[in-house]
Amino acid sequence: MDGNGRWAKKRFLPRTAGHRAGVGAVRKTVERCLAKGIKALTLFAFSSENWRRPPQEVSLLMELFVASLERETAKLHENGVRLRVIGDLSALAPLLRERIAAAEALTRTNNRLNLIIAANYGGRWDIVRAARRLAELVERGELSAAVIDATLFQSHLALADVPEPDLFIRTGGEQRISNFLLWQLAYTELYFTPVLWPDFDEQSLDQALEDYAGRQRRFGYTGEQVESLLLG
Ligand code: IPE
Ligand code: MG
């Protein structure tokens, strides 16, 4: 979700106004995913590198996170949304962690939409943590290094129980992954749009989905193989 600062600057507003406006885009996107029957949505809200921003901006982002959880959790629950937060939560304020835990507990058995918020998340952090867990098991003699394969490795990552993303959307015109779901994006279709995040709405999402629908996903096969597999 990129472009909040530029959205605000264009309007001669402080960057924080852009972040506030960005919450509206989150709401629209979640609603559209529900309407479209999309089963999983992962939002990159705050990266492990975003701590480098000015302290007032970091604290406003954290406040918005707390306020949004307080305001939206009940409605999400009513709509069958399961909410989860991935990332190193140990660095977050106790109040925020409390709100996260409450929202996760309330919505834990919902299955209409998996809504995942990445906060203080980094793809490298995720991979390193999985490697460390496996190393610990080996060190304790509970696992033989020879059995470590991609499937076992995957099961120690943050989104072990969620299918790999079909589509990645980055707003704001930048064409980078910026340490998002590095492992999980291996075969994901990438979509970049100049739309600034606060302007991202139902139509923007539909446009991305339409673009996605026109692509042929080959997973290493040839185009001809995929055609004949699809035709059965
Ligand atoms: C993304 O918008 C929001 C977060 C990282 C939380 P930016 O704040 O990066 O907006 P620009 O890139 O300055 O426009
Ligand atoms: Mg940015």
Side-chain angles (χ1 to χ4, degrees):
M1 303 184 286
D2 200 8
N4 295 355
R6 277 162 287 164
W7 182 94
K9 198 169 178 196
K10 278 207 306 196
R11 288 164 176 76
F12 305 101
L13 295 167
R15 295 180 52 82
T16 48
H19 297 314
R20 289 182 197 281
V23 178
V26 171
R27 197 176 300 117
K28 286 179 190 168
T29 303
V30 171
E31 278 168 13
R32 194 68 187 145
C33 285
L34 281 166
K36 283 269 177 188
I38 288 166
K39 300 299 287 179
L41 171 68
T42 305
L43 298 169
F44 203 3
F46 193 86
S47 77
S48 30
E49 289 74 32
N50 284 145
W51 296 109
R52 296 172 188 159
R53 294 187 173 205
Q56 320 85 274
E57 182 169 343
V58 170
S59 36
L60 177 102
L61 286 166
M62 295 299 163
E63 275 165 38
L64 279 179
F65 198 0
V66 173
S68 303
L69 284 169
E70 288 175 351
R71 211 177 312 122
E72 310 285 347
T73 300
K75 205 172 86 196
L76 291 172
H77 182 50
E78 275 168 37
N79 281 295
V81 177
R82 176 175 180 186
L83 187 107
R84 260 189 283 180
V85 180
I86 57 168
D88 182 3
L89 305 190
S90 68
L92 305 181
L95 177 70
L96 177 53
R97 284 162 67 181
E98 225 169 82
R99 295 290 182 269
I100 290 170
E104 287 182 337
L106 178 72
T107 63
R108 116 163 303 120
T109 58
N110 295 338
N111 58 13
R112 196 168 149 214
L113 168 68
N114 260 303
L115 174 60
I116 298 132
I117 312 284
N120 194 21
Y121 175 88
R124 289 178 177 171
W125 166 84
D126 199 359
I127 291 169
V128 168
R129 191 179 60 149
R132 194 184 309 119
R133 284 178 175 177
L134 288 166
E136 281 163 7
L137 291 173
V138 172
E139 209 171 46
R140 290 205 300 264
E142 289 166 26
L143 182 76
S144 148
V147 306
I148 298 174
D149 60 6
T151 309
L152 182 67
F153 196 92
Q154 194 281 134
S155 72
H156 289 270
L157 290 169
L159 295 179
D161 59 331
V162 179
E164 287 174 15
D166 292 312
L167 175 63
F168 161 101
I169 300 173
R170 179 167 186 152
T171 61
E174 241 68 71
Q175 306 198 356
R176 287 193 285 275
I177 308 242
S178 298
N179 201 17
F180 193 34
L181 304 164
L182 295 179
W183 172 284
Q184 297 86 343
L185 290 175
Y187 284 99
T188 301
E189 294 295 328
L190 306 180
Y191 177 84
F192 300 96
T193 169
V195 171
L196 304 174
W197 177 249
D199 290 328
F200 195 86
D201 60 9
E202 294 84 354
Q203 271 155 289
S204 322
L205 181 63
D206 287 355
Q207 215 163 30
L209 295 175
E210 209 172 296
D211 189 285
Y212 169 81
R215 300 190 191 185
Q216 185 189 49
R217 305 187 70 193
R218 290 193 282 273
F219 301 98
Y221 294 103
T222 68
E224 289 74 18
Q225 283 176 303
V226 173
E227 296 280 319
S228 65
L229 284 170
L230 286 174
L231 293 171

